[in-house]
Each structure stands twice: as structure tokens, then as C-alpha cells.
Amino acid sequence: AGGSGGAGGGPEGAGCGFVSLAVSAQEAIDAVARRAQRRLVTGFVALQDVTDAMGPTQIVPRSATDEVHNELLAAHGTPEEPSCLAAYAEQAVSCTLLAGDLVLMDSRALHFGAANVSDSRRVLLDFAFVNPHAVPSTYCECITSALGARRLLVASIRESATLLDAP
């Protein structure tokens, strides 16, 4: 991940704060891989600078635990749910990014996109790594069954990108 490692601040102070500049990219990837043997790891690559106004991804550190998830499940549908969610949202780190920055996270971490109040779209390349033996087969099957025998081609990606830019 890039930038100064501080939260917020737009491109001048880009970064999620999870990986300091003193840590190499390989060390960061190795650390995530060690913790992710039974997890789904999600990555985001910024395809443009992502400022606070563009609604950057918000990640709640240390929230990929059974305790946190059980607390949220217990609060779901109760009068305590809004305050429970708000308490976690206050802990979130805002991932403002420079174009080309990479964020790796445990997909079980609480995360959400903030409201985009700019006139620009926020465009990220999103991908995931999963140990198919550790994640329910329904996770992977939902996308593969939706795609069927279709193949994703660079030409179709370019066509989709062109459609996004259409007025």
C-alpha cells in the first residue's frame, strides 16, 4: 500500500495505514499470506487517485474475528444494531489511495465504501485469493455459475469501461 501510511488526506496523504513505507511489498504479502491460509484475501488496486470525497473504502482493523462477527449478528435486527455499527464505523481506516496503490485485506474484516460526494466515479480493480478447501464451495460457485462457459476477454473489459464513461 502506498502513500504516507496515514488515513485520509487525499492523494498527498494517501494510504490505509496498514503497511508502513519501511515494510517491503513482499514482507506485506508474506504476512497476509501467513494469516490467510484459511481465509479469503481481497485486493484493491486504485486505477486513479481516490480522495476522501470519492468515498474510499473503509476498513475496520482487527475486525476479522468471530467475536466481532458474533456481536454484529447478535445486534442484527435489534434496537442496538445502529449504535453497534456506528461504533465499528468510528474505528474504520479510510483508504485514500494514489493510482496504482494496492490494498490487501482479510475479506472477513468489516469494510464498506464511504459515500461518493465527488463528481468522479471511484474505479478500483478488485480481486481475491482463496483456499478452495477452506472456503464454502458456494462462495466460488456463485460467480462461476453466473459466468457459465463465457470467457472474460480484454475486449469485453474495454467495451464495459467505454460504456461506463458514456453520458
Side-chain angles (χ1 to χ4, degrees):
S4 66
E12 302 80 34
C16 291
F18 294 133
V19 181
S20 76
L21 292 175
V23 176
S24 74
Q26 188 61 50
E27 288 173 312
I29 291 168
D30 290 346
V32 169
R34 282 191 302 276
R35 292 190 306 267
Q37 290 178 359
R38 294 187 172 193
R39 299 178 184 150
L40 177 67
V41 175
T42 296
F44 301 110
V45 177
L47 300 180
Q48 79 219 66
D49 291 352
V50 178
T51 65
D52 281 325
M54 295 172 76
T57 302
Q58 310 288 305
I59 302 173
V60 180
R62 296 171 297 284
S63 62
T65 66
D66 289 339
E67 295 80 16
V68 170
H69 288 256
N70 288 337
E71 179 183 354
L72 290 170
L73 285 171
H76 182 66
T78 70
E80 290 78 30
E81 184 176 24
S83 61
C84 183
L85 290 172
Y88 281 109
E90 287 177 14
Q91 299 173 40
V93 176
S94 183
C95 293
T96 54
L97 304 168
L98 297 175
D101 280 354
L102 166 68
V103 174
L104 290 175
M105 66 172 222
D106 183 329
S107 298
R108 298 174 307 163
L110 301 180
H111 61 284
F112 57 94
N116 186 344
V117 296
S118 75
D119 292 331
S120 301
R121 290 193 171 116
R122 179 173 55 106
V123 182
L124 303 169
L125 172 65
D126 179 10
F127 58 92
F129 297 99
V130 61
N131 176 346
H133 304 292
V135 174
S137 61
T138 54
Y139 183 86
C140 298
E141 288 173 3
C142 63
I143 187 68
T144 56
S145 64
L147 289 175
R150 294 184 293 164
R151 293 180 184 261
L152 184 61
L153 303 174
V154 172
S156 64
I157 294 171
R158 286 187 183 130
E159 181 180 324
S160 296
T162 303
L163 293 174
L164 284 174
D165 288 333

